Amino acid sequence: MKNILGREIPESIQGYGAVKPFKGAFASLGEIEKKSVAIKPAVPGEKKVLASIQEAISKCNMKDGMTISFHHHLRNGDYILNMVLEEVAKVGIKDIKVAASSIFPVHAPLVQHMKTGVVTGVYASYMSGPVAEAISRGELKNPAIMHTHGGRTRAIASGDLAIDIAFIAAPTCDTYGNINGVDGEAACGALGYAVADAIYAAKTVAITDNLVAYPACPIEITQEYIDYIVQVECIGDPKGIVSGTTQITKDPVGLKIAKMTSKVIETSGLLKDGFSFQTGAGGTSLAVAAYVKELMEKKEIKGSFAAGGITGYLVEMFEAGLFESIFDVQCFDLKAVESYRKNQKHQGMSASMYGNPHNKGAVVNNLDVMILGATEIDTDFNVNVTTGSSGMIMGGSGGHSDTAAGAKLAIVVTQLVKGRLPIVVDGVTTVTTPGETIDVLVTERGIAVNPKRQDLIEKLEAANLPVMTIEALKQIAEGMTGVPEKIEKDDKVVAVVEYRDGTVIDVVKKIKD
Amino acid sequence: MKNILGREIPESIQGYGAVKPFKGAFASLGEIEKKSVAIKPAVPGEKKVLASIQEAISKCNMKDGMTISFHHHLRNGDYILNMVLEEVAKVGIKDIKVAASSIFPVHAPLVQHMKTGVVTGVYASYMSGPVAEAISRGELKNPAIMHTHGGRTRAIASGDLAIDIAFIAAPTCDTYGNINGVDGEAACGALGYAVADAIYAAKTVAITDNLVAYPACPIEITQEYIDYIVQVECIGDPKGIVSGTTQITKDPVGLKIAKMTSKVIETSGLLKDGFSFQTGAGGTSLAVAAYVKELMEKKEIKGSFAAGGITGYLVEMFEAGLFESIFDVQCFDLKAVESYRKNQKHQGMSASMYGNPHNKGAVVNNLDVMILGATEIDTDFNVNVTTGSSGMIMGGSGGHSDTAAGAKLAIVVTQLVKGRLPIVVDGVTTVTTPGETIDVLVTERGIAVNPKRQDLIEKLEAANLPVMTIEALKQIAEGMTGVPEKIEKDDKVVAVVEYRDGTVIDVVKKIKD
């Protein structure tokens, strides 16, 4: 069958089940149900601290076929996922589904566990590195399931993703399970992606290298949700956790795109007191932030909030008084961690509060402007950030689809051509984010506005910005590169791309050898 | 039938249903289930701020028979409960069940709503004043259901108390529903009792007199849980909300009891680094805190935390460095509000985190010493804080049963005789807290230790403290007052007293005219 975007999708996928096809970004927002949770209460006097991960596996009754979860705040410095799976493999447990909020190159040992059948399923909102490549090659028994950050919490709360045991990497944890991410050697700041796991998992194990006396302070995840605690030598490599602030691009093409983007924002009418803003950590995105900063300072605009994964650059804007506050689901660098630790108005948020479409209102719903990247964008404005044009998985939505759906103005910024391939294409290799939620594409050669935003087209044209159709941009790109050849794909579905509401927006097929 | 304490309880109660008899404080801690929640998600662009309470009632589809909830952080200054019920009555809705975390004299208009059939049921953890008296006289159609603070959140999470619409008095609320209790004219501090309502109610309405721009900061209850917001002129009378710090008793009998209690604590062996402590706001309880403070200073003891409803006196101990931190479910005075606003280590907690027996570990489980009051205590150490000896409801557990169950040393402090009536009796008029969770009774004439605590009896005797049996204390009391006459009661059950696990520990019968 085809979904509403015309993507060919099986009605049922082996190892996934029946497919609910994507029907539009806001088509599934009727009454919903958050699942019930069965837990074992703690009796006064019971101790939670165990001697080892092995003991936790045993106390939690881990069995073949279970789903275990991890969060990715330690990013490419995370030791926990590998540490736990090594112990799982040792005791001979098989057929485990790993629900990691994201997977990085550091998680390469997972490939071996896929080969031996220890791990047969993977859920992630983003994946890059050897695991993503192995999945693309068809080495995982069941198709991987790829969520958005908000969609992951929706899936957990609804029971679509039922977690048997959550393992929470805890930079600081007290002896009764109160956790924060701001202290300890592996301090990573906000722990927003781990909250739903803690609340909805049947069993939750905190793993920490900084076990402190009761009670910890501050507390990001409370004792109410933690069954057991294991102390280990080290939960992660700080160098991989917070990589230092990404730099604003120095590339003239990137700067040209950023400057034009800032003009689009200015012209949109949204840049006024109360302005809210989110951008990623890429060099061009940060350059947009820099130009927006200039504009805000010049016009003396006081914004309401910046949100998202937070970089030092957004902290600087906040500390300069340009934003009233910050909503932080994850800190990208040490400056963000430090600000989150000390500034009351640098507030944490759970991934559900950030982007879950199935709660009474996520933070993304209040975003004025979101700056997004793209690996490909097609003439319907559908964006791919999941696969390269070869079909290899090298990313995933993360918050891409969530913020695009929520923001009043969702802008994709990209060069027209990368690595000799056109970025604007007839049909993207994989749809991550539906075009109906993208308002504008800004490239170095011109600006394309989604035809549903006639109001914006008029404003940008009146301001003499280089507006053209997205088809025109595609032709310019193809004029530079030629029309790319269609890649051949195998029939096997290696990953199912779920939109934030749990419908299937696309599938990823096995790459041909 | 009789429950394990020998209380005569019907097997089924009209307007309540089948009775699960109390079987012991820790008898019901097997696997439990937190209920599912059906909600209507918010679509981007939807506004939450409504024009009036009337509009909120209409938007929430309030109907005959529904359960609506309120929290009591505004205490005897609360305007919200009366305001909402007045509107409910106006539109002709009947048969409403009011789940207020506590009810105060200010809520007197509720009596009229009981008479007209607008309100036919009441849930509360504490009630005093005209409503309590009317219920005692049998003027409510169905029996009132009285919880503990922790038990109320258990009931809400389990679905035993299913809330259709929660009305949350919000001292500060932003336009998308983020709430705090620290700013605004009606600032009351921590909002711990309202958290479960927000999470589990089908619909939640925030009512505020301080509507601020998005986003509020700090945030105690998030936008994820709020459907609608109504702005009103005034949510409460600050004079009734925070009454100013209660004074340490000057009564020599009270001081004698307090001094003796501090010696019991010292002798117990618990008064050492890491010590944790909770006490109420009564004059004798505060005097205990004052003596404990002296001891801690003399011995240079650094405690871990103080918890509970927080008074300025506990804040002083915290600020003097005697406790590492505070856990606060509700602020009792302005000094506590101020400290909660400014001190990071003065941490808020939900009522569930505070005392819910059905989570993975409440704060009460980590209490070393709890100082409790009593209206009556019987020779099995069962305590009544629900009714006067006449059978009139004039209180309720609040956190009494929760803290007694959790604390390593639960001490009841009371004069032996009050108002010419003995406090130590053969059988209490109503059991609020089971004797198995009470360790010690301290009176001005001597100390009685629960026989199950032989270890403590030995320690106190070795320290030459005036230990005697509770029967001996009863005889001394009766020697002063005579044996009180048994009061006659009607057969009608006017209130069901639920223990924190939802079993029925006692019932309150209608008082005889």
mmCIF file with all atom_site columns, all heavy atoms in Angstrom, chain B residues 429-442:
data_model
loop_
_atom_site.group_PDB
_atom_site.id
_atom_site.type_symbol
_atom_site.label_atom_id
_atom_site.label_alt_id
_atom_site.label_comp_id
_atom_site.label_asym_id
_atom_site.label_entity_id
_atom_site.label_seq_id
_atom_site.pdbx_PDB_ins_code
_atom_site.Cartn_x
_atom_site.Cartn_y
_atom_site.Cartn_z
_atom_site.occupancy
_atom_site.B_iso_or_equiv
_atom_site.pdbx_formal_charge
_atom_site.auth_seq_id
_atom_site.auth_comp_id
_atom_site.auth_asym_id
_atom_site.auth_atom_id
_atom_site.pdbx_PDB_model_num
ATOM 1   N N   . THR B 1 429 ? -11.733 6.118  70.008 1.00 0.00 ? 429 THR B N   1
ATOM 2   C CA  . THR B 1 429 ? -13.024 6.305  69.350 1.00 0.00 ? 429 THR B CA  1
ATOM 3   C C   . THR B 1 429 ? -12.928 5.929  67.876 1.00 0.00 ? 429 THR B C   1
ATOM 4   O O   . THR B 1 429 ? -13.818 5.267  67.336 1.00 0.00 ? 429 THR B O   1
ATOM 5   C CB  . THR B 1 429 ? -13.464 7.784  69.481 1.00 0.00 ? 429 THR B CB  1
ATOM 6   O OG1 . THR B 1 429 ? -13.366 8.163  70.855 1.00 0.00 ? 429 THR B OG1 1
ATOM 7   C CG2 . THR B 1 429 ? -14.884 7.983  68.986 1.00 0.00 ? 429 THR B CG2 1
ATOM 8   N N   . THR B 1 430 ? -11.856 6.324  67.238 1.00 0.00 ? 430 THR B N   1
ATOM 9   C CA  . THR B 1 430 ? -11.619 6.008  65.824 1.00 0.00 ? 430 THR B CA  1
ATOM 10  C C   . THR B 1 430 ? -10.141 5.709  65.667 1.00 0.00 ? 430 THR B C   1
ATOM 11  O O   . THR B 1 430 ? -9.295  6.447  66.186 1.00 0.00 ? 430 THR B O   1
ATOM 12  C CB  . THR B 1 430 ? -11.965 7.230  64.931 1.00 0.00 ? 430 THR B CB  1
ATOM 13  O OG1 . THR B 1 430 ? -13.276 7.704  65.263 1.00 0.00 ? 430 THR B OG1 1
ATOM 14  C CG2 . THR B 1 430 ? -11.901 6.867  63.453 1.00 0.00 ? 430 THR B CG2 1
ATOM 15  N N   . VAL B 1 431 ? -9.824  4.626  64.961 1.00 0.00 ? 431 VAL B N   1
ATOM 16  C CA  . VAL B 1 431 ? -8.405  4.374  64.686 1.00 0.00 ? 431 VAL B CA  1
ATOM 17  C C   . VAL B 1 431 ? -8.003  5.103  63.416 1.00 0.00 ? 431 VAL B C   1
ATOM 18  O O   . VAL B 1 431 ? -8.576  4.878  62.349 1.00 0.00 ? 431 VAL B O   1
ATOM 19  C CB  . VAL B 1 431 ? -8.084  2.875  64.501 1.00 0.00 ? 431 VAL B CB  1
ATOM 20  C CG1 . VAL B 1 431 ? -6.585  2.702  64.204 1.00 0.00 ? 431 VAL B CG1 1
ATOM 21  C CG2 . VAL B 1 431 ? -8.466  2.081  65.729 1.00 0.00 ? 431 VAL B CG2 1
ATOM 22  N N   . THR B 1 432 ? -7.006  5.966  63.523 1.00 0.00 ? 432 THR B N   1
ATOM 23  C CA  . THR B 1 432 ? -6.428  6.612  62.356 1.00 0.00 ? 432 THR B CA  1
ATOM 24  C C   . THR B 1 432 ? -5.167  5.871  61.948 1.00 0.00 ? 432 THR B C   1
ATOM 25  O O   . THR B 1 432 ? -4.990  5.506  60.794 1.00 0.00 ? 432 THR B O   1
ATOM 26  C CB  . THR B 1 432 ? -6.065  8.078  62.674 1.00 0.00 ? 432 THR B CB  1
ATOM 27  O OG1 . THR B 1 432 ? -7.174  8.708  63.297 1.00 0.00 ? 432 THR B OG1 1
ATOM 28  C CG2 . THR B 1 432 ? -5.663  8.830  61.414 1.00 0.00 ? 432 THR B CG2 1
ATOM 29  N N   . THR B 1 433 ? -4.295  5.644  62.933 1.00 0.00 ? 433 THR B N   1
ATOM 30  C CA  . THR B 1 433 ? -2.971  5.065  62.680 1.00 0.00 ? 433 THR B CA  1
ATOM 31  C C   . THR B 1 433 ? -2.804  3.822  63.545 1.00 0.00 ? 433 THR B C   1
ATOM 32  O O   . THR B 1 433 ? -3.018  3.883  64.759 1.00 0.00 ? 433 THR B O   1
ATOM 33  C CB  . THR B 1 433 ? -1.873  6.106  63.005 1.00 0.00 ? 433 THR B CB  1
ATOM 34  O OG1 . THR B 1 433 ? -2.020  7.206  62.108 1.00 0.00 ? 433 THR B OG1 1
ATOM 35  C CG2 . THR B 1 433 ? -0.481  5.525  62.871 1.00 0.00 ? 433 THR B CG2 1
ATOM 36  N N   . PRO B 1 434 ? -2.431  2.695  62.923 1.00 0.00 ? 434 PRO B N   1
ATOM 37  C CA  . PRO B 1 434 ? -2.347  1.439  63.680 1.00 0.00 ? 434 PRO B CA  1
ATOM 38  C C   . PRO B 1 434 ? -1.166  1.435  64.645 1.00 0.00 ? 434 PRO B C   1
ATOM 39  O O   . PRO B 1 434 ? -0.082  1.928  64.312 1.00 0.00 ? 434 PRO B O   1
ATOM 40  C CB  . PRO B 1 434 ? -2.168  0.390  62.591 1.00 0.00 ? 434 PRO B CB  1
ATOM 41  C CG  . PRO B 1 434 ? -1.536  1.119  61.443 1.00 0.00 ? 434 PRO B CG  1
ATOM 42  C CD  . PRO B 1 434 ? -2.075  2.523  61.502 1.00 0.00 ? 434 PRO B CD  1
ATOM 43  N N   . GLY B 1 435 ? -1.395  0.832  65.831 1.00 0.00 ? 435 GLY B N   1
ATOM 44  C CA  . GLY B 1 435 ? -0.382  0.805  66.875 1.00 0.00 ? 435 GLY B CA  1
ATOM 45  C C   . GLY B 1 435 ? 0.913   0.139  66.472 1.00 0.00 ? 435 GLY B C   1
ATOM 46  O O   . GLY B 1 435 ? 1.976   0.499  66.984 1.00 0.00 ? 435 GLY B O   1
ATOM 47  N N   . GLU B 1 436 ? 0.841   -0.794 65.537 1.00 0.00 ? 436 GLU B N   1
ATOM 48  C CA  . GLU B 1 436 ? 2.082   -1.488 65.149 1.00 0.00 ? 436 GLU B CA  1
ATOM 49  C C   . GLU B 1 436 ? 3.109   -0.528 64.541 1.00 0.00 ? 436 GLU B C   1
ATOM 50  O O   . GLU B 1 436 ? 4.289   -0.851 64.461 1.00 0.00 ? 436 GLU B O   1
ATOM 51  C CB  . GLU B 1 436 ? 1.790   -2.621 64.155 1.00 0.00 ? 436 GLU B CB  1
ATOM 52  C CG  . GLU B 1 436 ? 1.279   -2.137 62.814 1.00 0.00 ? 436 GLU B CG  1
ATOM 53  C CD  . GLU B 1 436 ? 1.232   -3.236 61.743 1.00 0.00 ? 436 GLU B CD  1
ATOM 54  O OE1 . GLU B 1 436 ? 2.299   -3.788 61.420 1.00 0.00 ? 436 GLU B OE1 1
ATOM 55  O OE2 . GLU B 1 436 ? 0.136   -3.513 61.226 1.00 0.00 ? 436 GLU B OE2 1
ATOM 56  N N   . THR B 1 437 ? 2.653   0.669  64.107 1.00 0.00 ? 437 THR B N   1
ATOM 57  C CA  . THR B 1 437 ? 3.590   1.627  63.499 1.00 0.00 ? 437 THR B CA  1
ATOM 58  C C   . THR B 1 437 ? 4.006   2.733  64.473 1.00 0.00 ? 437 THR B C   1
ATOM 59  O O   . THR B 1 437 ? 4.718   3.654  64.093 1.00 0.00 ? 437 THR B O   1
ATOM 60  C CB  . THR B 1 437 ? 2.987   2.276  62.224 1.00 0.00 ? 437 THR B CB  1
ATOM 61  O OG1 . THR B 1 437 ? 1.811   3.020  62.596 1.00 0.00 ? 437 THR B OG1 1
ATOM 62  C CG2 . THR B 1 437 ? 2.605   1.232  61.188 1.00 0.00 ? 437 THR B CG2 1
ATOM 63  N N   . ILE B 1 438 ? 3.533   2.650  65.710 1.00 0.00 ? 438 ILE B N   1
ATOM 64  C CA  . ILE B 1 438 ? 3.903   3.641  66.739 1.00 0.00 ? 438 ILE B CA  1
ATOM 65  C C   . ILE B 1 438 ? 4.912   2.994  67.682 1.00 0.00 ? 438 ILE B C   1
ATOM 66  O O   . ILE B 1 438 ? 4.668   1.910  68.211 1.00 0.00 ? 438 ILE B O   1
ATOM 67  C CB  . ILE B 1 438 ? 2.666   4.101  67.537 1.00 0.00 ? 438 ILE B CB  1
ATOM 68  C CG1 . ILE B 1 438 ? 1.604   4.709  66.608 1.00 0.00 ? 438 ILE B CG1 1
ATOM 69  C CG2 . ILE B 1 438 ? 3.056   5.071  68.656 1.00 0.00 ? 438 ILE B CG2 1
ATOM 70  C CD1 . ILE B 1 438 ? 1.992   6.008  65.934 1.00 0.00 ? 438 ILE B CD1 1
ATOM 71  N N   . ASP B 1 439 ? 6.024   3.663  67.909 1.00 0.00 ? 439 ASP B N   1
ATOM 72  C CA  . ASP B 1 439 ? 7.066   3.084  68.755 1.00 0.00 ? 439 ASP B CA  1
ATOM 73  C C   . ASP B 1 439 ? 6.993   3.548  70.196 1.00 0.00 ? 439 ASP B C   1
ATOM 74  O O   . ASP B 1 439 ? 7.228   2.771  71.110 1.00 0.00 ? 439 ASP B O   1
ATOM 75  C CB  . ASP B 1 439 ? 8.445   3.426  68.169 1.00 0.00 ? 439 ASP B CB  1
ATOM 76  C CG  . ASP B 1 439 ? 8.637   2.845  66.780 1.00 0.00 ? 439 ASP B CG  1
ATOM 77  O OD1 . ASP B 1 439 ? 8.845   1.628  66.688 1.00 0.00 ? 439 ASP B OD1 1
ATOM 78  O OD2 . ASP B 1 439 ? 8.518   3.598  65.804 1.00 0.00 ? 439 ASP B OD2 1
ATOM 79  N N   . VAL B 1 440 ? 6.687   4.825  70.397 1.00 0.00 ? 440 VAL B N   1
ATOM 80  C CA  . VAL B 1 440 ? 6.791   5.386  71.745 1.00 0.00 ? 440 VAL B CA  1
ATOM 81  C C   . VAL B 1 440 ? 5.680   6.410  71.987 1.00 0.00 ? 440 VAL B C   1
ATOM 82  O O   . VAL B 1 440 ? 5.285   7.135  71.068 1.00 0.00 ? 440 VAL B O   1
ATOM 83  C CB  . VAL B 1 440 ? 8.149   6.111  71.941 1.00 0.00 ? 440 VAL B CB  1
ATOM 84  C CG1 . VAL B 1 440 ? 8.296   6.622  73.371 1.00 0.00 ? 440 VAL B CG1 1
ATOM 85  C CG2 . VAL B 1 440 ? 9.308   5.200  71.596 1.00 0.00 ? 440 VAL B CG2 1
ATOM 86  N N   . LEU B 1 441 ? 5.196   6.450  73.211 1.00 0.00 ? 441 LEU B N   1
ATOM 87  C CA  . LEU B 1 441 ? 4.305   7.523  73.649 1.00 0.00 ? 441 LEU B CA  1
ATOM 88  C C   . LEU B 1 441 ? 5.011   8.280  74.771 1.00 0.00 ? 441 LEU B C   1
ATOM 89  O O   . LEU B 1 441 ? 5.441   7.679  75.753 1.00 0.00 ? 441 LEU B O   1
ATOM 90  C CB  . LEU B 1 441 ? 2.991   6.927  74.181 1.00 0.00 ? 441 LEU B CB  1
ATOM 91  C CG  . LEU B 1 441 ? 2.115   7.861  75.020 1.00 0.00 ? 441 LEU B CG  1
ATOM 92  C CD1 . LEU B 1 441 ? 1.563   9.009  74.169 1.00 0.00 ? 441 LEU B CD1 1
ATOM 93  C CD2 . LEU B 1 441 ? 0.970   7.071  75.667 1.00 0.00 ? 441 LEU B CD2 1
ATOM 94  N N   . VAL B 1 442 ? 5.138   9.590  74.578 1.00 0.00 ? 442 VAL B N   1
ATOM 95  C CA  . VAL B 1 442 ? 5.753   10.401 75.635 1.00 0.00 ? 442 VAL B CA  1
ATOM 96  C C   . VAL B 1 442 ? 4.691   11.331 76.220 1.00 0.00 ? 442 VAL B C   1
ATOM 97  O O   . VAL B 1 442 ? 4.071   12.117 75.495 1.00 0.00 ? 442 VAL B O   1
ATOM 98  C CB  . VAL B 1 442 ? 6.939   11.233 75.107 1.00 0.00 ? 442 VAL B CB  1
ATOM 99  C CG1 . VAL B 1 442 ? 7.545   12.069 76.247 1.00 0.00 ? 442 VAL B CG1 1
ATOM 100 C CG2 . VAL B 1 442 ? 8.000   10.336 74.485 1.00 0.00 ? 442 VAL B CG2 1
#
